[in-house]
Amino acid sequence: MSQTMRHRWLLLGACGWVLLILMFASKFISFRTTDDYGEKSIAQSGTLPVPVLGNKVVVATPLPGPEVPAVSVTTNLPSPLPSATDWLDVSEKRLELLSAVCKNASGKTRDPVNKFVMDRIFVCDKHKILFCQTPKVGNTQWKKVLIVLNGDYPTVDEVPEDIVHRHDKNHLRRLSSFTPSEISERLRLYFKFLIVRDPFERLISAFKDKFVENPRFEPWYKTEIAPAIIRRYRRDRRVAAGATAPAAGLRFREFVRYLGDTDGRRRHLDYEFGEAVIHWATYSELCAPCQIGYSAVGHHETLERDVPHILRGAGVEALVEYPAIPPGITRYNRTKVEQYFAGVSGAEVRKLYARYQGDFLLFGYPPPNFLWS
């Protein structure tokens, strides 16, 4: 009898070890699905909530090929460039998805394009190109491309970094600088494109670039904007009341609270911050993708494969080369996202997602369910 019991306990112990191993492995293994180009990438897991764009519930009909970002453990070997046929298929699927979601959003396609959007669109009349900038998605490199196409410099490597963001010196005209009839003509006839990336990873990039590193020396992000956010969204009122930068140190959770706030406090701050909000404004606010019929949408996660075909679509592939892309730099990094959101509550993540849900839906990014499940 004791021998039988001993065998049973040994069997139970072995099963327990197997379960522990499986639980540990599950953190690194998930179901795979194909990305736009048909390659394997690791999908984000979880139960999808009912999507809402604006005030209307959207039935997100699964169209083929929405982008599924890969985790940081993927290889850094360069991906093979897709053929022209592959790109046409990918581009068509992205634009079909964009059109389908826009049609489900009441009134979005009928709203006029406002000046805020036209200020974001750079014009290259020489080659009939419109580029809508989406900050924290590699816009500096695309500006260099346009500067070269305008004839100011022979190659992108020769464009000085300090010129790129000096709009009084880089000779890049904005769409808003033209007359209404000239604007309509360019929107109708020019090749129009924008580049997007996972919305939450873009917000992390904005926080890191403006409030942590600030490489372009824009002190007002730490001396004016950070303290204003802290005073309203830091739970420790004693610290918040006397917040002054840089000692205050804006926390990512406070940044998330500010962005996900649905009452008038955030709108008041947005107005106070002015142009600075472009770094965390939604793609809809920046580029009006439901009002403007874009010719192409590039994804940051597949930029190496998208760039050649965007340049070809614009008819300039023989005139300029896009700057070299360091291997792996554009890949989606789920580990980084989890680390930044580790101190953010599920309720706060859901509020943030509610604001940026349109960006996820319009461009085929899966909801970050792993952050609240």
Side-chain angles (χ1 to χ4, degrees), residues 235-257:
R235 297 290 165 82
D236 186 339
R237 297 298 181 185
R238 292 172 300 173
V239 176
T244 57
L250 179 67
R251 300 164 187 163
F252 184 70
R253 185 174 188 177
E254 294 155 355
F255 186 56
V256 168
R257 287 173 184 156

Side-chain angles (χ1 to χ4, degrees), residues 170 184 239:
N170 62 23
S184 297
V239 176

